[in-house]
Amino acid sequence: MLKATIATIVVLEFGRIAPATAMSITHDVVCYHFMGSKLERREICKLEDFDTSSVLSWSDGVKTQIRWVSRFSDTPTLDGVPAREYQRDPKTLKILETPSNATSVQCLQALESNNSVCWTR
């Protein structure tokens, strides 16, 4: 299921409050949680994509915050922790040495731990 949402956000602009509009697209994806190379969890979750961030919503209510860029860094973050991007094969879930096509599983690994989250595109 694909759903588009437009949200109005109030931002501070040059000392005054001004409305800003953010558009997101939400769809169901297969999500994975790895601890090192061990698959800990696999389920259908919701992926909400914004311009520079995404949110994975798991069935237990946990939300994983992903920031793709910020004005301070080009390194993505996973729940506020710097992370590295990589891909896995959709059938074997093995890490791909070279990026693949749109069918590969997208992943982020927190640089301070062995925790990774992955999702289908």
Side-chain angles (χ1 to χ4, degrees):
M1 183 178 95
L2 187 67
K3 180 177 114 179
T5 305
I6 297 177
T8 300
I9 302 167
V10 176
V11 295
L12 188 60
E13 179 181 275
F14 302 111
R16 63 186 167 88
I17 296 176
T21 303
M23 183 170 174
S24 69
I25 297 176
T26 303
H27 45 103
D28 294 335
V29 295
V30 179
C31 291
Y32 306 88
H33 174 244
F34 288 88
M35 184 64 106
S37 61
K38 183 180 178 206
L39 178 61
E40 297 282 328
R41 186 174 183 181
R42 179 193 184 279
E43 67 179 65
I44 302 295
C45 64
K46 300 259 186 234
L47 173 66
E48 186 172 13
D49 282 321
F50 296 91
D51 287 341
T52 60
S53 65
S54 300
V55 177
L56 289 172
S57 299
W58 300 80
S59 63
D60 61 2
V62 170
K63 292 186 183 288
T64 301
Q65 306 286 330
I66 299 164
R67 247 199 231 282
W68 295 108
V69 294
S70 75
R71 63 184 186 167
F72 304 111
S73 173
D74 289 333
T75 302
T77 63
L78 187 59
D79 289 332
V81 176
R84 74 172 183 91
E85 284 185 77
Y86 69 97
Q87 295 178 355
R88 290 181 178 266
D89 180 272
K91 292 181 182 167
T92 66
L93 294 179
K94 291 186 186 235
I95 295 173
L96 297 173
E97 297 299 321
T98 56
S100 185
N101 57 29
T103 62
S104 62
V105 176
Q106 180 69 38
C107 299
L108 283 175
Q109 178 185 2
L111 295 178
E112 296 177 2
S113 71
N114 283 332
N115 284 317
S116 291
V117 292
C118 303
W119 61 96
T120 55
R121 295 187 195 197

Tab-separated table of all heavy atoms in Angstrom, residues 37-74:
chain	number	residue	atom	x	y	z
A	37	SER	N	26.111	-10.330	11.950
A	37	SER	CA	25.618	-11.056	10.779
A	37	SER	C	24.372	-11.884	11.088
A	37	SER	O	23.800	-12.505	10.202
A	37	SER	CB	26.724	-11.966	10.234
A	37	SER	OG	27.101	-12.900	11.214
A	38	LYS	N	23.924	-11.884	12.348
A	38	LYS	CA	22.778	-12.701	12.761
A	38	LYS	C	21.466	-11.936	12.585
A	38	LYS	O	21.284	-10.843	13.107
A	38	LYS	CB	22.925	-13.109	14.221
A	38	LYS	CG	21.815	-14.014	14.683
A	38	LYS	CD	21.972	-14.401	16.125
A	38	LYS	CE	20.798	-15.262	16.531
A	38	LYS	NZ	20.526	-15.177	17.945
A	39	LEU	N	20.553	-12.551	11.820
A	39	LEU	CA	19.227	-11.977	11.630
A	39	LEU	C	18.438	-12.131	12.926
A	39	LEU	O	18.214	-13.238	13.404
A	39	LEU	CB	18.499	-12.684	10.478
A	39	LEU	CG	17.075	-12.230	10.191
A	39	LEU	CD1	17.030	-10.757	9.803
A	39	LEU	CD2	16.454	-13.093	9.109
A	40	GLU	N	18.042	-11.026	13.521
A	40	GLU	CA	17.290	-11.031	14.778
A	40	GLU	C	15.783	-10.936	14.554
A	40	GLU	O	15.005	-11.436	15.346
A	40	GLU	CB	17.728	-9.850	15.657
A	40	GLU	CG	19.181	-9.889	16.088
A	40	GLU	CD	19.433	-10.857	17.221
A	40	GLU	OE1	18.540	-11.041	18.068
A	40	GLU	OE2	20.527	-11.444	17.245
A	41	ARG	N	15.400	-10.257	13.471
A	41	ARG	CA	13.980	-9.972	13.270
A	41	ARG	C	13.705	-9.741	11.792
A	41	ARG	O	14.493	-9.116	11.098
A	41	ARG	CB	13.665	-8.717	14.072
A	41	ARG	CG	12.263	-8.293	14.144
A	41	ARG	CD	12.178	-7.117	15.118
A	41	ARG	NE	10.823	-6.671	15.297
A	41	ARG	CZ	10.484	-5.666	16.056
A	41	ARG	NH1	11.390	-4.998	16.719
A	41	ARG	NH2	9.230	-5.323	16.171
A	42	ARG	N	12.552	-10.245	11.325
A	42	ARG	CA	12.068	-10.007	9.964
A	42	ARG	C	10.570	-9.823	10.055
A	42	ARG	O	9.873	-10.640	10.656
A	42	ARG	CB	12.388	-11.195	9.063
A	42	ARG	CG	11.880	-11.026	7.642
A	42	ARG	CD	11.942	-12.347	6.871
A	42	ARG	NE	11.566	-12.197	5.505
A	42	ARG	CZ	10.316	-12.156	5.048
A	42	ARG	NH1	9.299	-12.252	5.883
A	42	ARG	NH2	10.062	-12.007	3.763
A	43	GLU	N	10.062	-8.737	9.465
A	43	GLU	CA	8.619	-8.482	9.491
A	43	GLU	C	8.241	-7.437	8.449
A	43	GLU	O	9.102	-6.761	7.891
A	43	GLU	CB	8.174	-8.011	10.875
A	43	GLU	CG	8.716	-6.662	11.263
A	43	GLU	CD	8.235	-6.229	12.642
A	43	GLU	OE1	8.594	-6.875	13.631
A	43	GLU	OE2	7.494	-5.230	12.698
A	44	ILE	N	6.950	-7.324	8.227
A	44	ILE	CA	6.433	-6.257	7.376
A	44	ILE	C	6.296	-5.018	8.256
A	44	ILE	O	5.737	-5.082	9.345
A	44	ILE	CB	5.043	-6.616	6.795
A	44	ILE	CG1	5.099	-7.918	5.996
A	44	ILE	CG2	4.494	-5.464	5.957
A	44	ILE	CD1	5.952	-7.856	4.757
A	45	CYS	N	6.875	-3.912	7.816
A	45	CYS	CA	6.742	-2.672	8.568
A	45	CYS	C	6.408	-1.543	7.604
A	45	CYS	O	6.323	-1.750	6.387
A	45	CYS	CB	8.001	-2.373	9.384
A	45	CYS	SG	9.473	-2.068	8.423
A	46	LYS	N	6.191	-0.369	8.133
A	46	LYS	CA	5.862	0.810	7.328
A	46	LYS	C	7.118	1.653	7.161
A	46	LYS	O	7.840	1.908	8.124
A	46	LYS	CB	4.798	1.660	8.022
A	46	LYS	CG	3.511	0.929	8.268
A	46	LYS	CD	2.498	1.317	7.238
A	46	LYS	CE	1.163	0.675	7.583
A	46	LYS	NZ	0.636	-0.087	6.503
A	47	LEU	N	7.370	2.094	5.935
A	47	LEU	CA	8.461	3.011	5.636
A	47	LEU	C	7.839	4.329	5.206
A	47	LEU	O	7.067	4.376	4.252
A	47	LEU	CB	9.350	2.465	4.521
A	47	LEU	CG	10.438	3.403	4.007
A	47	LEU	CD1	11.470	3.674	5.096
A	47	LEU	CD2	11.108	2.814	2.779
A	48	GLU	N	8.154	5.391	5.946
A	48	GLU	CA	7.679	6.721	5.593
A	48	GLU	C	8.886	7.526	5.133
A	48	GLU	O	9.821	7.754	5.898
A	48	GLU	CB	7.007	7.392	6.786
A	48	GLU	CG	6.368	8.703	6.432
A	48	GLU	CD	5.523	9.281	7.565
A	48	GLU	OE1	5.626	8.808	8.704
A	48	GLU	OE2	4.763	10.217	7.291
A	49	ASP	N	8.873	7.926	3.869
A	49	ASP	CA	9.978	8.669	3.266
A	49	ASP	C	9.659	10.145	3.175
A	49	ASP	O	8.590	10.525	2.698
A	49	ASP	CB	10.263	8.154	1.854
A	49	ASP	CG	11.050	6.870	1.842
A	49	ASP	OD1	11.965	6.731	2.666
A	49	ASP	OD2	10.764	6.007	0.992
A	50	PHE	N	10.597	10.960	3.638
A	50	PHE	CA	10.566	12.410	3.464
A	50	PHE	C	11.721	12.775	2.551
A	50	PHE	O	12.450	11.914	2.076
A	50	PHE	CB	10.713	13.115	4.820
A	50	PHE	CG	9.586	12.842	5.773
A	50	PHE	CD1	9.659	11.786	6.660
A	50	PHE	CD2	8.451	13.645	5.775
A	50	PHE	CE1	8.625	11.524	7.547
A	50	PHE	CE2	7.409	13.388	6.662
A	50	PHE	CZ	7.497	12.333	7.549
A	51	ASP	N	11.944	14.060	2.316
A	51	ASP	CA	13.039	14.492	1.444
A	51	ASP	C	14.402	14.039	1.947
A	51	ASP	O	15.198	13.503	1.197
A	51	ASP	CB	13.053	16.019	1.304
A	51	ASP	CG	11.918	16.523	0.424
A	51	ASP	OD1	11.371	15.720	-0.347
A	51	ASP	OD2	11.594	17.711	0.519
A	52	THR	N	14.700	14.281	3.209
A	52	THR	CA	16.043	13.996	3.739
A	52	THR	C	16.031	13.013	4.894
A	52	THR	O	17.035	12.844	5.575
A	52	THR	CB	16.738	15.297	4.206
A	52	THR	OG1	15.935	15.884	5.235
A	52	THR	CG2	16.923	16.263	3.063
A	53	SER	N	14.900	12.363	5.128
A	53	SER	CA	14.818	11.399	6.226
A	53	SER	C	13.770	10.339	5.924
A	53	SER	O	12.978	10.474	4.990
A	53	SER	CB	14.476	12.113	7.542
A	53	SER	OG	13.187	12.679	7.464
A	54	SER	N	13.795	9.288	6.727
A	54	SER	CA	12.819	8.203	6.632
A	54	SER	C	12.528	7.697	8.034
A	54	SER	O	13.339	7.870	8.949
A	54	SER	CB	13.355	7.041	5.789
A	54	SER	OG	13.664	7.456	4.483
A	55	VAL	N	11.375	7.046	8.198
A	55	VAL	CA	11.010	6.432	9.471
A	55	VAL	C	10.510	5.023	9.172
A	55	VAL	O	9.635	4.835	8.331
A	55	VAL	CB	9.907	7.233	10.200
A	55	VAL	CG1	9.491	6.525	11.486
A	55	VAL	CG2	10.352	8.654	10.483
A	56	LEU	N	11.103	4.033	9.856
A	56	LEU	CA	10.605	2.656	9.801
A	56	LEU	C	9.750	2.436	11.039
A	56	LEU	O	10.224	2.622	12.161
A	56	LEU	CB	11.760	1.652	9.801
A	56	LEU	CG	12.610	1.572	8.547
A	56	LEU	CD1	13.818	0.671	8.800
A	56	LEU	CD2	11.810	1.060	7.379
A	57	SER	N	8.490	2.047	10.861
A	57	SER	CA	7.588	1.770	11.980
A	57	SER	C	7.383	0.272	12.087
A	57	SER	O	6.822	-0.354	11.187
A	57	SER	CB	6.250	2.481	11.780
A	57	SER	OG	6.439	3.875	11.724
A	58	TRP	N	7.868	-0.304	13.200
A	58	TRP	CA	7.805	-1.742	13.439
A	58	TRP	C	6.477	-2.107	14.094
A	58	TRP	O	5.801	-1.250	14.663
A	58	TRP	CB	8.975	-2.162	14.315
A	58	TRP	CG	10.311	-1.861	13.698
A	58	TRP	CD1	10.941	-0.655	13.680
A	58	TRP	CD2	11.154	-2.758	12.990
A	58	TRP	NE1	12.140	-0.749	13.008
A	58	TRP	CE2	12.297	-2.029	12.582
A	58	TRP	CE3	11.067	-4.106	12.667
A	58	TRP	CZ2	13.341	-2.616	11.860
A	58	TRP	CZ3	12.103	-4.686	11.957
A	58	TRP	CH2	13.228	-3.944	11.562
A	59	SER	N	6.116	-3.380	14.051
A	59	SER	CA	4.818	-3.839	14.560
A	59	SER	C	4.641	-3.614	16.061
A	59	SER	O	3.524	-3.470	16.534
A	59	SER	CB	4.612	-5.323	14.240
A	59	SER	OG	5.588	-6.103	14.891
A	60	ASP	N	5.736	-3.544	16.822
A	60	ASP	CA	5.634	-3.324	18.271
A	60	ASP	C	5.597	-1.838	18.640
A	60	ASP	O	5.634	-1.481	19.817
A	60	ASP	CB	6.778	-4.014	19.009
A	60	ASP	CG	8.144	-3.506	18.597
A	60	ASP	OD1	8.235	-2.579	17.768
A	60	ASP	OD2	9.143	-4.057	19.108
A	61	GLY	N	5.511	-0.966	17.626
A	61	GLY	CA	5.418	0.463	17.881
A	61	GLY	C	6.750	1.203	17.861
A	61	GLY	O	6.779	2.432	17.895
A	62	VAL	N	7.862	0.482	17.803
A	62	VAL	CA	9.171	1.122	17.741
A	62	VAL	C	9.326	1.825	16.399
A	62	VAL	O	8.936	1.289	15.363
A	62	VAL	CB	10.300	0.075	17.939
A	62	VAL	CG1	11.668	0.674	17.643
A	62	VAL	CG2	10.257	-0.498	19.344
A	63	LYS	N	9.880	3.018	16.431
A	63	LYS	CA	10.141	3.780	15.206
A	63	LYS	C	11.639	3.999	15.079
A	63	LYS	O	12.277	4.502	15.992
A	63	LYS	CB	9.412	5.119	15.239
A	63	LYS	CG	7.904	4.967	15.175
A	63	LYS	CD	7.223	6.314	15.066
A	63	LYS	CE	5.734	6.179	15.083
A	63	LYS	NZ	5.156	5.623	13.910
A	64	THR	N	12.191	3.597	13.954
A	64	THR	CA	13.603	3.800	13.663
A	64	THR	C	13.719	5.048	12.795
A	64	THR	O	13.151	5.103	11.709
A	64	THR	CB	14.187	2.578	12.923
A	64	THR	OG1	14.006	1.417	13.742
A	64	THR	CG2	15.660	2.769	12.631
A	65	GLN	N	14.449	6.037	13.293
A	65	GLN	CA	14.621	7.307	12.596
A	65	GLN	C	15.883	7.267	11.734
A	65	GLN	O	16.965	6.966	12.239
A	65	GLN	CB	14.754	8.454	13.608
A	65	GLN	CG	13.622	8.541	14.607
A	65	GLN	CD	12.341	9.080	13.998
A	65	GLN	OE1	12.378	9.876	13.067
A	65	GLN	NE2	11.211	8.639	14.526
A	66	ILE	N	15.742	7.584	10.469
A	66	ILE	CA	16.874	7.618	9.546
A	66	ILE	C	16.979	9.031	8.988
A	66	ILE	O	16.000	9.574	8.487
A	66	ILE	CB	16.675	6.617	8.391
A	66	ILE	CG1	16.572	5.202	8.939
A	66	ILE	CG2	17.795	6.751	7.364
A	66	ILE	CD1	16.008	4.209	7.967
A	67	ARG	N	18.144	9.616	9.108
A	67	ARG	CA	18.426	10.925	8.504
A	67	ARG	C	19.468	10.716	7.436
A	67	ARG	O	20.547	10.235	7.703
A	67	ARG	CB	18.966	11.884	9.549
A	67	ARG	CG	18.039	12.925	9.765
A	67	ARG	CD	18.277	14.191	10.348
A	67	ARG	NE	17.306	14.410	11.388
A	67	ARG	CZ	16.061	14.767	11.159
A	67	ARG	NH1	15.623	14.956	9.945
A	67	ARG	NH2	15.246	14.947	12.140
A	68	TRP	N	19.101	11.059	6.208
A	68	TRP	CA	20.011	10.823	5.093
A	68	TRP	C	21.083	11.886	5.009
A	68	TRP	O	22.222	11.604	4.704
A	68	TRP	CB	19.236	10.734	3.786
A	68	TRP	CG	18.329	9.547	3.790
A	68	TRP	CD1	16.967	9.545	3.885
A	68	TRP	CD2	18.724	8.175	3.750
A	68	TRP	NE1	16.501	8.262	3.899
A	68	TRP	CE2	17.557	7.395	3.814
A	68	TRP	CE3	19.955	7.534	3.662
A	68	TRP	CZ2	17.580	6.007	3.790
A	68	TRP	CZ3	19.982	6.157	3.635
A	68	TRP	CH2	18.803	5.410	3.696
A	69	VAL	N	20.736	13.123	5.241
A	69	VAL	CA	21.699	14.227	5.213
A	69	VAL	C	21.286	15.254	6.254
A	69	VAL	O	20.152	15.267	6.703
A	69	VAL	CB	21.771	14.917	3.828
A	69	VAL	CG1	22.329	14.002	2.774
A	69	VAL	CG2	20.421	15.455	3.412
A	70	SER	N	22.205	16.096	6.616
A	70	SER	CA	21.882	17.235	7.464
A	70	SER	C	22.792	18.372	7.046
A	70	SER	O	23.730	18.175	6.277
A	70	SER	CB	22.090	16.901	8.948
A	70	SER	OG	23.468	16.883	9.261
A	71	ARG	N	22.538	19.529	7.573
A	71	ARG	CA	23.405	20.647	7.200
A	71	ARG	C	24.780	20.521	7.830
A	71	ARG	O	25.697	21.224	7.471
A	71	ARG	CB	22.749	21.973	7.540
A	71	ARG	CG	22.497	22.168	8.995
A	71	ARG	CD	21.758	23.457	9.207
A	71	ARG	NE	21.663	23.691	10.644
A	71	ARG	CZ	21.304	24.792	11.175
A	71	ARG	NH1	20.988	25.811	10.413
A	71	ARG	NH2	21.245	24.921	12.472
A	72	PHE	N	24.936	19.599	8.779
A	72	PHE	CA	26.215	19.408	9.448
A	72	PHE	C	27.021	18.227	8.915
A	72	PHE	O	28.213	18.139	9.130
A	72	PHE	CB	26.005	19.206	10.953
A	72	PHE	CG	25.246	20.336	11.594
A	72	PHE	CD1	23.963	20.138	12.065
A	72	PHE	CD2	25.798	21.598	11.684
A	72	PHE	CE1	23.260	21.177	12.647
A	72	PHE	CE2	25.098	22.646	12.259
A	72	PHE	CZ	23.822	22.432	12.744
A	73	SER	N	26.368	17.276	8.234
A	73	SER	CA	27.071	16.068	7.820
A	73	SER	C	26.398	15.425	6.618
A	73	SER	O	25.179	15.471	6.479
A	73	SER	CB	27.081	15.073	8.986
A	73	SER	OG	27.615	13.843	8.576
A	74	ASP	N	27.217	14.786	5.773
A	74	ASP	CA	26.692	14.005	4.657
A	74	ASP	C	26.571	12.529	5.025
A	74	ASP	O	26.191	11.716	4.205
A	74	ASP	CB	27.600	14.147	3.434
A	74	ASP	CG	27.497	15.531	2.817
A	74	ASP	OD1	26.445	16.178	2.960
A	74	ASP	OD2	28.475	15.965	2.193
